[in-house]
Amino acid sequence: MLNYAVKRLGLAVAIVSVAMFLLFCMIYLVPGDPASVALGPRATDAMKEALRVKMGLDQPIWVQFWNFFSGAWTGDLGQEVLSGRPVLDVVLEQLPFTLALIAGGITWSVAIGIPLGCWAAINRGSFADRLVGILSVAVIAVPSFVIAIYALLIFSVSLRWLPAIGAGEPGHLGDQIVHLILPSLAVGLGWVGYIARMVRASMLEVLEASHIRTARAFGLPENMITYRYALTIAILPTITLLGVGIGQMLSSAVFAEIVFARPGVGKLVYDAILTRNFPVVTGAVLVTTVIFVLLNLVADLIVGALDPRVRSSF
Amino acid sequence: MSEAASNPPAAARSELWKSFRRLLREPLGVFGLSLVVLVILAAVFADVLTQWDPTRINPRDRFLGPSGEHLLGTDQLGRDLFARVLHGGRIALYVALVSTAISLAIGIVLGLIAGYGPRWLDNLMILLFDATKSFPTVMLALALVTIVGPSLTAVVVVVIIVNVPGYARIIRTQTIAIKSSEFVTAAQSMGASNARILGVHIMPNVIGPLVILASMDIPVVIAIEAGMSFLGLGVRPPTPSWGSILNDGFSQIRDTAWIAIAGGLPIIITTLGFTFLGETLRDVFDPRLKGR
């Protein structure tokens, strides 16, 4: 297990390094001078030159890359163009809002997806099962930003049930949760489908297992067999699915934050692009990438701990 | 389907026909196919179906509701929404077709190289694929557009970067499975060149599942185009795109619901249509892929 964990960790470090390299290439090798892009068309040559020196753009390319690379690994993602604040601080300040949104999305998807999948598996082949199957595919297919806009239109603008803007009053938990309902629905609805399908498939597999047959032979009540013995095992694959899911929810979160005018990393990047705040864009993309890689690492290590076959095939 | 291309033509045709008939027996497949055909016809015959110019501004007719004259009403500049939706379909299908074709071509070539080439190259390429896939899609799109600016080309590039690693991995796995099989060894011993072995012997055998998976990715591609245009990172105004109509609807959502509805509905119809069709096609053509 230790051997596997070390190898897998090494892979994660390598992936983050390559991602940094790709990001560096993208920013510095593509035509267009970052300094003049950042300052806009009215900047004088002297201003551009000053910023270029400040951003280290006058140095040779390999020095620039080394500065970027070594800085990034130690948490130094550079400074904001105008205020001069460290980018890492700016990103970490917004991160809790995005994480809360994703946690809300997971809550929606688990709370609806697991019962639906379980129900479909128990009533295998019935009309209800087919309906759950079609609905699962449908919610996976429809993009989250369409769901966000329609949810905003129906529940905030027309019915006026839920707030449309912001993250709620700071320190007021109830208000913050109310503000979280719609955006997290938009983030999590697609995953209701993934989880329902996953739980259904693994439930069907588990219900055939011998320990379930033994439980039946002992005459245990069917409800107890289903929920206590089958579902607890059938849920396991969902955990690893969520490891990947959180990464994709990061993408949906960008839209949800913009549509519902919530603070968060996605809104931060979007605003940074509009104001040409380069270092913030790179910094935020890098932080979310690291989170994504870490989550996949954790998910893989959990599976590795539970299933020896995964460890040996690595 | 291209896997049929390696079979004798007559047998291939009857095989395709059989699969098509099986597809028609599935209600969900028929429903998906109908939606897809509807969307394609609407985009192709956009000029015939409406007399309105999708980009003509008419300030006197702003925010009109649906009527006989304007089937879906008009937007904040008085442009006919039905015409914009139809012409937006052209953009969506164009991006889906072009970027999927390019991703397939690049993915196949890279996958063959990784699968057939030396071990170190394979490891390096796998690392690159995994690293590329570790960027969340929207973050990648945002970062890229910061540099190159919003355009239709930027959308196509994002789709290619998102799709290629997955396609290349599938082709690589299949190539590794096939390269030690007897007919490849036979070709090698008869002195066939690497290019011939890859192109004639390996490629036709690895391409089938990929084409099905790529067709199932079309709704994702359409969502990327609409999503980027929604954020103002894709198609530039006044060119109509479903995403930019949705964005107009979002900014005017307190005045009228019609623009948002008109922008969202075609995205829902198209993604559902392609997804239902893709799911059924996969089950019909290749039951082994079920549940992927």
Side-chain angles (χ1 to χ4, degrees):
Chain A
M1 181 61 203
L2 186 69
N3 193 15
Y4 170 73
V6 169
K7 271 191 191 164
R8 186 61 188 76
L9 185 68
L11 181 68
V13 171
I15 289 177
V16 172
S17 306
V18 174
M20 281 176 183
F21 176 69
L22 292 179
L23 208 55
F24 177 84
C25 291
M26 235 160 77
I27 301 266
Y28 289 87
L29 300 184
V30 165
D33 172 28
S36 40
V37 172
L39 289 171
R42 274 171 297 176
T44 61
D45 283 345
M47 282 163 73
K48 283 184 203 165
E49 199 48 52
L51 184 67
R52 220 171 273 144
V53 173
K54 196 177 145 205
M55 290 170 83
L57 296 174
D58 54 337
Q59 315 252 352
I61 183 89
W62 59 85
V63 178
Q64 283 186 45
F65 176 66
W66 177 248
N67 289 342
F68 176 81
F69 192 76
S70 57
W73 274 114
T74 51
D76 173 16
L77 300 174
Q79 276 92 39
E80 250 193 306
V81 173
L82 296 176
S83 71
R85 289 182 61 204
V87 167
L88 190 65
D89 291 0
V90 178
V91 175
L92 290 184
E93 202 176 271
Q94 300 294 322
L95 195 59
F97 292 103
T98 305
L99 293 182
L101 185 57
I102 290 173
I106 292 174
T107 312
W108 273 109
S109 57
V110 167
I112 306 178
I114 292 181
L116 266 189
C118 194
W119 187 52
I122 296 168
N123 301 298
R124 181 184 194 177
S126 67
F127 175 73
D129 181 22
R130 269 194 75 88
L131 191 67
V132 169
I134 293 174
L135 281 180
S136 308
V137 177
V139 292
I140 292 172
V142 176
S144 72
F145 55 92
V146 178
I147 295 171
I149 295 270
Y150 276 32
L152 177 75
L153 187 62
I154 296 170
F155 296 106
S156 298
V157 177
S158 298
L159 299 171
R160 296 176 183 283
W161 286 354
L162 291 162
I165 286 176
E169 228 174 282
H172 191 307
L173 191 65
D175 192 37
Q176 287 176 333
I177 290 177
V178 169
H179 277 83
L180 205 55
I181 296 176
L182 283 184
S184 59
L185 175 71
V187 169
L189 192 61
W191 280 83
V192 170
Y194 283 112
I195 290 182
R197 289 177 94 177
M198 189 79 176
V199 168
R200 177 184 178 275
S202 66
M203 255 317 246
L204 288 178
E205 207 172 295
V206 173
L207 284 173
E208 302 289 313
S210 45
H211 75 279
I212 298 294
R213 256 188 302 162
T214 315
R216 280 220 180 89
F218 272 96
L220 291 180
E222 195 61 29
N223 271 339
M224 191 172 170
I225 296 176
T226 312
Y227 297 108
R228 187 142 161 222
Y229 292 101
L231 188 60
T232 42
I233 297 177
I235 279 179
L236 283 180
T238 318
I239 297 171
T240 57
L241 188 70
L242 278 176
V244 185
I246 294 171
Q248 297 197 1
M249 285 187 197
L250 276 171
S251 286
S252 315
V254 176
F255 289 107
E257 283 166 6
I258 291 166
V259 169
F260 292 96
R262 279 178 63 85
V265 178
K267 187 89 168 48
L268 177 75
V269 176
Y270 186 64
D271 293 342
I273 286 180
L274 298 183
T275 55
R276 299 157 183 273
N277 203 339
F278 256 129
V280 172
V281 178
T282 7
V285 171
L286 208 52
V287 169
T288 47
T289 306
V290 169
I291 293 176
F292 185 51
V293 172
L294 274 180
L295 286 169
N296 278 326
L297 174 70
V298 171
D300 276 5
L301 288 180
I302 292 176
V303 184
L306 296 174
D307 190 344
R309 282 172 302 177
V310 178
R311 297 201 295 260
S312 61
S313 71
F314 191 72
Chain B
M1 285 283 132
S2 51
E3 75 213 282
S6 55
N7 296 340
R13 208 176 303 133
S14 77
E15 192 60 36
L16 260 181
W17 179 235
K18 249 192 264 171
S19 301
F20 185 65
R21 296 240 318 245
R22 255 185 294 163
L23 174 72
L24 290 186
R25 275 205 296 274
E26 297 282 335
L28 198 62
V30 174
F31 181 56
L33 184 66
S34 322
L35 290 184
V36 168
V37 170
L38 177 81
V39 169
I40 294 175
L41 288 181
V44 171
F45 294 108
D47 293 323
V48 185
L49 288 168
T50 177
Q51 301 305 316
W52 296 99
D53 177 349
T55 55
R56 218 191 95 202
I57 294 171
N58 195 352
R60 264 191 301 177
D61 291 341
R62 294 165 67 214
F63 298 123
L64 291 183
S67 64
E69 203 182 349
H70 298 284
L71 288 176
L72 286 169
T74 59
D75 68 4
Q76 76 279 12
L77 297 174
R79 297 174 294 197
D80 180 65
L81 279 170
F82 186 61
R84 288 184 69 73
V85 166
L86 293 185
H87 285 270
R90 290 188 172 178
I91 301 279
L93 293 178
Y94 168 81
V95 170
L97 221 66
V98 170
S99 53
T100 303
I102 300 177
S103 321
L104 275 176
I106 300 177
I108 290 170
V109 171
L110 291 183
L112 286 174
I113 294 175
Y116 199 73
R119 187 69 195 264
W120 63 267
L121 188 63
D122 182 30
N123 288 336
L124 181 72
M125 288 175 82
I126 285 293
L127 185 65
L128 278 175
F129 296 155
D130 285 352
T132 315
K133 261 169 73 172
S134 64
F135 292 113
T137 311
V138 178
M139 290 296 178
L140 180 84
L142 290 170
L144 191 79
V145 171
T146 330
I147 301 156
V148 299
S151 68
L152 205 56
T153 319
V155 177
V156 173
V157 171
V158 168
V159 173
I160 292 172
I161 296 177
V162 169
N163 278 346
V164 162
Y167 296 167
R169 272 203 100 127
I170 292 168
I171 291 288
R172 167 193 170 265
T173 314
Q174 303 254 9
T175 305
I176 289 177
I178 269 181
K179 82 173 169 187
S180 50
S181 62
E182 279 156 10
F183 70 92
V184 174
T185 320
Q188 277 166 341
S189 63
M190 283 189 280
S193 67
N194 280 343
R196 186 177 162 80
I197 290 173
L198 282 173
V200 178
H201 298 290
I202 294 184
M203 199 162 82
N205 286 300
V206 297
I207 219 169
L210 183 65
V211 172
I212 298 173
L213 286 178
S215 74
M216 292 185 68
D217 276 344
I218 286 180
V220 179
V221 175
I222 287 175
I224 292 176
E225 187 273 314
M228 286 181 68
S229 298
F230 173 70
L231 294 178
L233 310 177
V235 177
R236 304 301 295 155
T239 313
S241 147
W242 294 338
S244 54
I245 299 172
L246 199 59
N247 189 15
D248 291 341
F250 171 55
S251 35
Q252 315 291 334
I253 205 161
R254 270 154 235 285
D255 296 318
T256 172
W258 279 110
I259 312 175
I261 294 174
L265 267 186
I267 302 178
I268 294 177
I269 291 175
T270 314
T271 48
L272 282 186
F274 275 106
T275 305
F276 287 153
L277 180 63
E279 291 268 325
T280 320
L281 271 183
R282 179 198 57 193
D283 295 350
V284 165
F285 271 104
D286 197 346
R288 280 172 307 170
L289 290 169
K290 203 162 185 167
R292 266 198 58 127

